[in-house]
Amino acid sequence: MESASRGSGRARDSAIDARILAVAGRHLARDGYAAMSLAAVAQEAGTTRQALYRRWPGKAELAAAVVAALGEEEPADLAADNPFTALVAELSDFQRGVSKPGRLSLVGTMLQDTTDPDLRSRYRSRVIAPRRARLLATLESARRQGHLAPDADLEIALPMCTGAWYGRELAGAPVPADWPYRTASLIWRALGGTIPPGTPPTPEPGPAANAG
């Protein structure tokens, strides 16, 4: 149960905050927004509904806090001077993030009609938009440097970068370990590029990041 409270004059227990957010994230991914129960979240987190409500006044606020926490992780360090390597690294970063337990289910939750529109908007701006911006910046850099065709259709290529993963998952097709390299290579060639010689098929491991 909660070991510190604002009512007693002591600092709020941050460990309970983290525990509630972790449990809420699992419930949101598993049950969807409409079915997520604050009572069930509090019980599994080992605290009370009153303690939960002192932190977040309702389900929308708690779900928004879960989404906000997703955007706090550091993205991969991408090499701007080598756009193809940067693309492979970004896709590897995406693969690690979306492979975390519950992350793919959370994507499905955001597509449900019953999900709060504000929560969906927060997810897009916090998780999806930063990923798309980094991918687009990488492809634009490659086009400026002459690695891709001048008329390369980046608008169509951008959603293909991550959409290839979701398509395999929905079809139940196993995702190969070298998915980032193979996907980057396919997109690169489709945009008029040539794969740089000596490019390793898998980048060095980097920090895990978000689905998006």
Side-chain angles (χ1 to χ4, degrees):
M1 292 295 176
E2 187 173 23
S3 60
S5 68
R6 285 176 288 183
S8 64
R10 290 179 292 175
R12 198 171 79 181
D13 189 347
S14 60
I16 292 181
D17 292 40
R19 196 159 65 242
I20 292 174
L21 287 175
V23 172
R26 290 197 297 272
H27 284 226
L28 185 61
R30 184 191 67 198
D31 304 328
Y33 177 78
M36 187 175 76
S37 164
L38 296 188
V41 169
Q43 181 179 23
E44 186 177 329
T47 188
T48 64
R49 278 184 291 180
Q50 290 76 12
L52 190 154
Y53 284 124
R54 280 198 294 272
R55 292 162 166 82
W56 301 281
K59 182 162 66 174
E61 290 78 10
L62 177 58
V66 170
V67 169
L70 295 177
E72 292 175 356
E73 300 171 356
E74 291 296 326
D77 183 17
L78 305 181
D81 59 338
N82 191 331
F84 180 78
T85 299
L87 180 60
V88 176
E90 185 67 53
L91 292 179
S92 298
D93 193 60
F94 164 78
Q95 180 181 32
R96 285 189 293 271
V98 79
S99 298
K100 288 183 176 181
R103 289 295 176 87
L104 196 60
S105 298
L106 189 58
V107 174
T109 293
M110 294 303 152
L111 295 174
Q112 294 176 0
D113 293 337
T114 53
T115 297
D116 181 72
D118 181 63
L119 177 63
R120 187 183 298 114
S121 177
R122 287 171 182 262
Y123 183 83
R124 285 172 177 163
S125 63
R126 190 79 178 184
V127 178
I128 303 298
R131 174 77 67 192
R132 286 173 61 89
R134 293 195 299 270
L135 285 167
L136 182 58
T138 298
L139 294 175
E140 287 178 337
S141 175
R143 188 169 59 181
R144 282 196 307 271
Q145 295 178 38
H147 299 302
L148 304 179
D151 61 347
D153 192 343
L154 305 189
E155 181 182 0
I156 295 299
L158 182 59
M160 291 173 61
C161 291
T162 54
W165 175 280
Y166 297 123
R168 294 186 72 97
E169 285 288 344
L170 287 171
V175 179
D178 58 352
W179 175 86
Y181 177 82
R182 290 169 63 180
T183 300
S185 298
L186 181 64
I187 291 171
W188 200 261
R189 292 191 181 101
L191 295 175
T194 300
I195 307 303
T199 304
T202 53
E204 292 297 319
N210 315 306

